[in-house]
Amino acid sequence: MHRGFATGHELRRMLYVSSPLLTCAVAPGVMIALSALGAMSLRTALLTAVCLAVASLFAWGFVGGLRMGGGRLLAVLAGLVDAVLGVAIALVKVSAGH
């Protein structure tokens, strides 16, 4: 970032900050790998990955709501808003043929 490689504390901080993005990429990768190994069809793997992604959106919204100090009720509300937005985006993509 500043003409050098991150080490130690900087690297841990960068991983902590980007962990939601990294964890959101794990579930689809695992599902597609299971499909490639013949454990499930590709369609089932992709649908499962979408469901896991929406659940992940809810979880990270909930965690973010807790970290902001709004209490559990507002954290659940934040998680639900994130999940509803994720479902809406998925539906728009499906209706557009992606």
Side-chain angles (χ1 to χ4, degrees):
M1 184 164 107
H2 299 286
R3 297 183 188 176
F5 291 106
T7 58
H9 176 71
E10 294 172 337
L11 184 59
R12 284 189 298 276
R13 179 70 182 154
M14 287 171 40
L15 288 173
Y16 174 76
V17 168
S18 60
S19 64
L21 292 173
L22 297 173
T23 58
C24 289
V26 170
V30 169
M31 293 298 111
I32 291 170
L34 287 173
S35 173
L37 294 172
M40 64 177 71
S41 70
L42 181 60
R43 179 176 173 79
T44 302
L46 293 175
L47 287 173
T48 304
V50 167
C51 291
L52 290 172
V54 170
S56 178
L57 283 171
F58 172 81
W60 284 111
F62 180 77
V63 169
L66 285 179
R67 287 183 182 171
M68 289 190 308
R72 290 195 186 275
L73 182 62
L74 288 177
V76 168
L77 182 62
L80 286 174
V81 167
D82 284 353
V84 167
L85 288 172
V87 169
I89 290 168
L91 290 174
V92 166
K93 289 181 76 69
V94 167
S95 68
H98 286 264

